[in-house]
Amino acid sequence: MTKLVAAALTLFLAATIATAQSPTPVAAPLTVIRAGTLIDGASDAPRRNQLIFVRADHIEKISDASAQIPAGATVIDLSSSTVLPGLIDSHTHIFLWGEDPAKGGYDANILKAGIALRAARATFACRRALEQGFTTLRDVETEGAGYGDVEIKQAIAEGTIPGPRLFCATRAISSTGGYDLQDYAPELDMPKGAQIIDGPVQARKAAREQLDHGADWIKVYMTHRSWTDKQGHLVSQPTLTVEELKAVVDEAHGWGKKVACHAYNGIGLQRALDGGCDSIEHGLEITDAQIAQMAGQGTWYCPTLSPYYEDWGPADTPAGKRDRARAAAHEISFKKAMQAHLKIVFGTDIGGMPWTESMAQEFPRMVNLGMSPMDAIHAATSRPADMLDMKGEIGVVAPGAYADIVAVSADPLKDITVLEHVNFVMHNGAIYKNETTK
Ligand SMILES: [Zn+2]
């Protein structure tokens, strides 16, 4: 044993003894929320007049309103509100600031903003998400901002900035010719919005690097450009091969992590499924056979309806035709996925849309296509919790779960758009917003 190790061991033992001798810790203060209606995120029916006991960052128990509230507890009266679990958006980009062509489109994010400005914008995005009741985000890549998401997550964890619980995908992976920035002079060595690989060896190396630097998920682009063919059908350019994707999936699964695949349709979507991806992102056009394959493999489906209704080109231009074909195909696939009972999770792709927009606008899009309001709520609560390996811990108001709790003033089962006006937000037991008394 070296002297250094011996000294460290002595310090460790001293610390252990000190801990053992300290008095029994006093229980954290109790907060009791009176919920007029509780939609717990997992059950099919709401419950009336419930009491939610919160201690520190967890939910201790749920009782009906007749239960006694201990003296000294802080009571929050949400008896005229509908209370739900903190919402989960499974497809966000905190490092994107919109893609409005009039403001330079996607490229301006990378070419006109340095890393400090991008971090400031990501900080704003995190606060915006939390204020809207989204207490967990699966943030599916930083679009050229490197491992910034992992550091924003760190800033949230240390209490430097407010923000939701983040699942970070870091840089994302695509292949040569498979991601922006594109269409610049070939002599220029342009930055890329994703890590570019060619071949299974590079694919595995990229996954290893990203996992090493803190990726909670790996994001892979399985399609890139899209256009309409002479018949008006949507076509999208495939990127990684099955072998390349399999290397990524094998590596990620070895680390106990999952792989999200951006895939519009066609060959790229088929390769995503054959390569064993865990979630299909967007999935604008999924064939019946692919729906069956997803059901068989237990693949999650994260549609993102809202952004495909924004920034359409003029109807008679190639871009305009493509934009309309994308939205039309997406609606059909969404309905098919619902009928097949695929595991649909709520995703906005916000960041692609400006962060000033409402995230909950995706709810009425889903409901208008035939999803029941309760199912849409489950798509943003208990179902993604399962996908994120946090079943029972988030996306549910139940004993033992993190105290991520939101409220709205009306019944979202009657009018889903009320979720656009969350007026109470608790995250990890701390209140970030309470406008219920106004
Ligand atoms: Zn996206």
Side-chain angles (χ1 to χ4, degrees):
M1 191 185 291
T2 65
K3 272 185 188 167
L4 197 64
V5 172
L9 193 62
T10 309
L11 272 175
F12 172 75
L13 285 173
T16 311
I17 292 161
T19 310
Q21 284 171 346
S22 64
T24 321
V26 182
L30 178 69
T31 299
V32 179
I33 298 172
R34 280 185 189 281
T37 302
L38 173 63
I39 294 174
D40 70 10
S43 312
D44 287 330
R47 281 174 282 164
R48 310 288 168 205
N49 301 319
Q50 300 288 298
L51 297 178
I52 305 162
F53 291 67
V54 174
R55 205 182 287 276
D57 59 352
H58 274 79
I59 297 169
E60 199 172 72
K61 64 172 179 174
I62 316 275
S63 305
D64 62 40
S66 61
Q68 195 166 6
I69 297 174
T74 303
V75 178
I76 298 168
D77 186 11
L78 302 178
S79 55
S80 55
S81 299
T82 299
V83 174
L84 306 104
L87 302 169
I88 302 170
D89 188 336
S90 293
H91 193 123
T92 65
H93 300 281
I94 57 170
F95 276 92
L96 268 186
W97 202 241
E99 299 180 11
D100 181 354
K103 293 178 179 165
Y106 174 87
D107 296 13
N109 283 282
I110 294 180
L111 297 178
K112 298 288 178 81
I115 196 67
L117 178 56
R118 298 195 71 186
R121 289 170 169 179
T123 303
F124 174 93
C126 285
R127 196 180 69 227
R128 274 285 296 161
L130 199 54
E131 284 170 357
Q132 293 175 81
F134 286 84
T135 52
T136 299
L137 308 180
R138 184 180 60 152
D139 197 69
V140 280
E141 87 124 322
T142 61
E143 313 286 352
Y147 296 95
D149 51 352
V150 176
E151 296 195 312
I152 292 286
K153 179 179 167 179
Q154 200 178 332
I156 293 168
E158 68 190 19
T160 306
I161 60 168
R165 177 179 293 100
L166 292 182
F167 287 83
C168 301
T170 73
R171 299 179 61 191
I173 296 170
S174 193
S175 57
T176 294
Y179 209 65
D180 290 331
L181 307 175
Q182 63 188 41
D183 301 331
Y184 290 90
E187 295 79 12
L188 296 176
D189 187 14
M190 299 303 289
K192 290 288 177 192
Q195 189 168 1
I196 300 299
I197 62 91
D198 291 292
V201 173
Q202 285 186 5
R204 187 178 291 273
K205 185 167 191 283
R208 284 176 178 165
E209 280 175 14
Q210 294 181 9
L211 292 160
D212 185 33
H213 291 305
D216 302 304
W217 274 71
I218 297 291
K219 164 81 174 288
V220 181
Y221 287 90
M222 292 304 293
T223 62
H224 181 47
R225 294 168 175 87
S226 61
W227 60 91
T228 49
D229 66 13
K230 286 175 183 168
Q231 289 75 41
H233 298 137
L234 186 70
V235 184
S236 54
Q237 165 211 348
T239 55
L240 274 69
T241 62
V242 173
E243 288 67 32
E244 287 166 337
L245 178 60
K246 276 186 173 169
V248 172
V249 169
D250 183 57
E251 192 63 30
H253 286 181
W255 287 59
K257 310 286 186 188
K258 291 178 182 160
V259 178
C261 285
H262 166 115
Y264 275 4
N265 70 342
I267 297 166
L269 176 50
Q270 190 57 48
R271 289 181 187 171
L273 296 177
D274 293 344
C277 85
D278 297 292
S279 74
I280 292 287
E281 308 300 305
H282 317 298
L284 301 188
E285 186 179 38
I286 315 178
T287 65
D288 292 344
Q290 288 168 337
I291 294 262
Q293 190 173 355
M294 288 175 74
Q297 294 180 189
T299 313
W300 301 89
Y301 176 38
C302 185
T304 56
L305 298 162
S306 303
Y308 293 98
Y309 294 89
E310 295 213 346
D311 302 329
W312 281 1
D316 52 351
T317 63
K321 285 178 188 165
R322 175 205 62 194
D323 295 342
R324 283 158 183 78
R326 292 201 295 206
H330 204 175
E331 290 190 1
I332 295 165
S333 297
F334 181 85
K335 288 178 182 171
K336 275 196 212 172
M338 236 180 351
Q339 282 157 10
H341 303 289
L342 291 192
K343 297 184 289 186
I344 299 177
V345 292
F346 175 105
T348 56
D349 211 359
I350 192 148
M353 303 182 291
W355 274 97
T356 45
E357 285 201 18
S358 155
M359 296 167 75
Q361 66 175 292
E362 185 74 7
F363 283 114
R365 294 245 180 239
M366 295 166 104
V367 170
N368 289 343
L369 292 175
M371 189 176 255
S372 75
M374 188 60 102
D375 200 12
I377 289 168
H378 287 177
T381 52
S382 56
R383 203 172 298 133
D386 192 8
M387 179 180 78
L388 297 166
D389 293 327
M390 291 198 76
K391 189 176 180 180
E393 295 182 273
I394 59 172
V396 66
V397 179
Y402 284 101
D404 288 359
I405 297 168
V406 303
V408 287
S409 62
D411 182 359
L413 302 180
K414 289 197 181 110
D415 177 7
I416 195 75
T417 65
V418 301
L419 291 175
E420 294 189 49
H421 309 285
V422 166
N423 55 18
F424 174 86
V425 179
M426 176 183 271
H427 176 43
N428 287 333
I431 297 169
Y432 284 87
K433 181 180 189 177
N434 188 0
E435 295 175 350
T436 55
T437 48
K438 281 181 190 167

